[in-house]
Amino acid sequence: MSRERAQAFVPGHVTGFFSAHQHDDPLRAGSRGAGLTLTDGVHVTVEPAAETTVTLDGRPTEMTAVNHVLSELGVSCTVTATTDLPISAGFGVSGATALGTALGANAVFDLHRSENTLVGLAHAGEVQAGTGLGDVVAQARGGIPIRLEPGAPGFGTLDGIPARGPVEYCTFGSLSTADIITGDTVQLTAAGERALSFLMEEPTLTRLMVASRRFAREADLLTAEVETAIDAVQDAGGQAAMAMLGQTVFALGTGLSDAGYDAHSCRIHPPGATLEE
Amino acid sequence: MSRERAQAFVPGHVTGFFSAHQHDDPLRAGSRGAGLTLTDGVHVTVEPAAETTVTLDGRPTEMTAVNHVLSELGVSCTVTATTDLPISAGFGVSGATALGTALGANAVFDLHRSENTLVGLAHAGEVQAGTGLGDVVAQARGGIPIRLEPGAPGFGTLDGIPARGPVEYCTFGSLSTADIITGDTVQLTAAGERALSFLMEEPTLTRLMVASRRFAREADLLTAEVETAIDAVQDAGGQAAMAMLGQTVFALGTGLSDAGYDAHSCRIHPPGATLEE
């Protein structure tokens, strides 16, 4: 039976390192890499409507990936997204909104798509919009996803680090994902591949943080404020890294507040994206 | 750092239909099929010990799959499993205990294995013990897993039905999984393959229940009490099916209590197996 509305929750996702893999087929394009999914995420409500409109925290917004999902599903609706996460700061808010829209629209219009199909639609939307390469598959999985092979379900493969716990983050401003992932990614991808090999020798949270710091340095993505904060967390005995791609630092435990920063606190989120009841 | 103990929670899993796929490599053996993971599951505590002992709800027990996992990891420990689920009744308690042991031992001995590796160890243990073919990969995933291809991570592939909600179950006795999955499975596997094709045409909860009822009939696995209960739920307007392999009936919503049965109630469990904090 169809419903009047459906709501989904999609965890935020910070990527610590990645390599970019372009492909003509957006389901085969994507990234290798690793990161954390977070209990701070995006709530997406979907209601049938004559024309599609999208709001994020009450403000009308254009999200190409969301429009892609709805056009592929052949429906139009009012998409209402709310989040505690900073926007354009490396938390995968656009991927989360696209994936939440896919789950919500499938439920509200009774479209009978499988989870892999819905994840693929949101992933393809993100890739085509240039707003992300790996957030959607990570957000669909939850936990601490390792993207071993790029792409949507059926093409990409995932593993994970079996751990959980508190996480803190601070944001100092935005970076354009599209500028970086559609630019020259040779150096970045080489650094990302090295980071993945290093992590897979010993897939632990500590190694993920070390690999991520090396990657940010080698790919030349650190900004001054981010570097200062990462160093301060390390000096205070903690583990921090930069979220790809945003001027965001994330730390294990209470790393950022131990270093004197006024940080947001959340936790690693074991489940992936789900409909809300 | 190592810890004194680690605890994991693994959801119960009822399979509605399946096909059996044997292979010399236990990581490639497994089943296709679909089912529900449940908020009722198994809590597993792992503590280092000179000799391995396993208790289930306080009673010493032999679980070949658990011993396989620990011997592959090269450790010995006290494994304490507790569950609200009925034993040998089709809820994947042995698979859950093996998977919880793998997650717990990895954490307590700081063994640096990835989630896929740990899931593979528990899956191989179950296959070699003859106690299950598909529970472990489903329990690692959570939600409503569809096993598209048999085997451990890296070999098998999974999809899922994007839904959640309450579930009820009743158990009338046990069945031996080993007797059935090591016997003549030609008819069963043909019925399981048909059920999977039927489900994938329209991957919804309702279809899963219809496909599961057909499968139980075609594979000639229904017992009298199970058949009576399934019919009673349908007569009361609900959806029920038989858990493979146990004399257990599970129903969506309040299907069993609506039909006058004294049923246990739980919910679909979106996350897969996780360490507990």
Side-chain angles (χ1 to χ4, degrees):
Chain A
M1 77 225 126
S2 298
R3 308 192 243 178
E4 280 183 21
R5 64 170 66 194
Q7 194 167 340
F9 175 74
V10 185
H13 177 244
V14 285
T15 285
F17 65 83
F18 72 104
S19 55
H21 302 272
Q22 305 292 351
H23 197 287
D24 286 343
D25 178 356
L27 293 175
R28 291 171 189 263
S31 56
R32 293 195 178 90
L36 310 176
T37 62
L38 305 175
T39 50
D40 283 1
V42 182
H43 295 272
V44 182
T45 303
V46 175
E47 294 163 282
E51 220 173 290
T52 291
T53 54
V54 183
T55 58
L56 178 58
D57 287 334
R59 285 180 295 276
T61 182
E62 270 298 319
M63 286 205 189
T64 313
V66 170
N67 291 331
H68 170 90
V69 165
L70 293 174
S71 121
E72 289 286 315
L73 291 174
V75 296
S76 58
C77 48
T78 303
V79 175
T80 310
T82 58
T83 185
D84 291 330
L85 292 169
I87 315 298
S88 297
F91 292 93
V93 169
S94 60
T97 308
L99 181 52
T101 299
L103 287 165
N106 182 67
V108 84
F109 293 103
D110 208 10
L111 297 176
H112 304 163
R113 303 299 204 280
S114 76
E115 290 188 335
N116 287 359
T117 300
L118 297 170
V119 174
L121 286 176
H123 174 82
E126 273 277 278
V127 167
Q128 291 181 333
T131 42
L133 289 170
D135 285 324
V136 169
V137 295
Q139 289 164 326
R141 182 190 188 280
I144 308 173
I146 305 173
R147 282 123 50 214
L148 296 176
E149 295 296 339
F155 302 105
T157 57
L158 295 165
D159 198 348
I161 297 173
R164 52 195 296 180
V167 176
E168 286 186 341
Y169 60 85
C170 271
T171 292
F172 305 104
S174 63
L175 282 180
S176 164
T177 300
D179 284 357
I180 292 169
I181 70 180
T182 58
D184 178 4
T185 57
V186 174
Q187 187 185 346
L188 179 155
T189 286
E193 300 282 2
R194 278 194 299 276
L196 183 58
S197 300
F198 177 72
L199 175 63
M200 292 315 290
E201 285 170 13
E202 193 179 302
T204 62
L205 261 179
T206 305
R207 266 229 181 184
L208 169 59
M209 302 305 279
V210 173
S212 299
R213 280 198 299 272
R214 274 192 200 167
F215 170 80
R217 224 167 27 233
E218 292 178 8
D220 203 16
L221 291 167
L222 287 171
T223 62
E225 270 173 313
V226 164
E227 190 165 18
T228 302
I230 291 173
D231 289 346
V233 172
Q234 279 200 273
D235 290 347
Q239 291 282 354
M242 175 179 172
M244 300 295 156
L245 290 160
Q247 292 209 54
T248 294
V249 175
F250 62 98
L252 302 183
T254 53
L256 277 158
S257 46
D258 292 349
Y261 282 85
D262 185 18
H264 291 267
S265 114
C266 62
R267 307 186 69 77
I268 291 165
H269 187 63
T274 47
L275 288 170
E276 297 189 272
E277 293 182 298
Chain B
M1 77 227 122
S2 299
R3 308 192 244 177
E4 281 183 19
R5 64 170 67 194
Q7 194 166 340
F9 175 74
V10 185
H13 176 244
V14 284
T15 285
F17 64 84
F18 72 105
S19 55
H21 303 272
Q22 305 293 350
H23 196 286
D24 287 343
D25 178 356
L27 294 175
R28 292 172 189 263
S31 56
R32 293 196 178 90
L36 311 176
T37 62
L38 305 175
T39 50
D40 282 1
V42 182
H43 295 272
V44 182
T45 304
V46 174
E47 294 162 282
E51 221 171 289
T52 290
T53 55
V54 183
T55 59
L56 178 58
D57 287 333
R59 284 180 295 277
T61 183
E62 270 298 319
M63 286 205 188
T64 312
V66 171
N67 292 330
H68 170 90
V69 165
L70 293 174
S71 120
E72 289 287 315
L73 291 173
V75 297
S76 58
C77 49
T78 303
V79 175
T80 310
T82 59
T83 185
D84 291 330
L85 292 169
I87 315 298
S88 297
F91 292 93
V93 170
S94 60
T97 308
L99 181 53
T101 299
L103 287 165
N106 183 67
V108 83
F109 293 103
D110 208 11
L111 297 176
H112 305 163
R113 302 299 204 280
S114 76
E115 289 188 336
N116 286 0
T117 300
L118 297 171
V119 173
L121 286 176
H123 173 83
E126 273 276 279
V127 167
Q128 291 181 332
T131 42
L133 288 170
D135 286 323
V136 169
V137 296
Q139 289 164 326
R141 182 189 188 281
I144 308 173
I146 304 172
R147 281 123 50 215
L148 296 176
E149 295 296 338
F155 301 105
T157 57
L158 296 165
D159 197 347
I161 297 172
R164 53 195 297 180
V167 177
E168 286 186 340
Y169 60 85
C170 271
T171 292
F172 305 103
S174 63
L175 282 180
S176 165
T177 299
D179 285 358
I180 292 168
I181 68 179
T182 58
D184 178 5
T185 57
V186 173
Q187 187 185 346
L188 179 155
T189 286
E193 299 281 3
R194 278 194 299 275
L196 183 57
S197 300
F198 177 72
L199 175 63
M200 293 316 290
E201 285 169 14
E202 194 178 301
T204 62
L205 262 179
T206 305
R207 269 235 177 180
L208 169 60
M209 302 304 279
V210 173
S212 299
R213 281 199 297 272
R214 274 192 201 169
F215 169 80
R217 224 166 27 233
E218 292 177 9
D220 202 17
L221 291 165
L222 287 170
T223 62
E225 271 174 309
V226 163
E227 191 165 18
T228 303
I230 290 173
D231 289 346
V233 172
Q234 280 199 273
D235 290 347
Q239 291 283 354
M242 175 178 170
M244 302 295 156
L245 288 160
Q247 292 209 54
T248 294
V249 175
F250 62 98
L252 302 183
T254 53
L256 276 159
S257 46
D258 291 349
Y261 282 85
D262 184 17
H264 292 267
S265 116
C266 61
R267 306 186 70 78
I268 291 164
H269 187 63
T274 47
L275 288 170
E276 296 189 274
E277 293 182 299

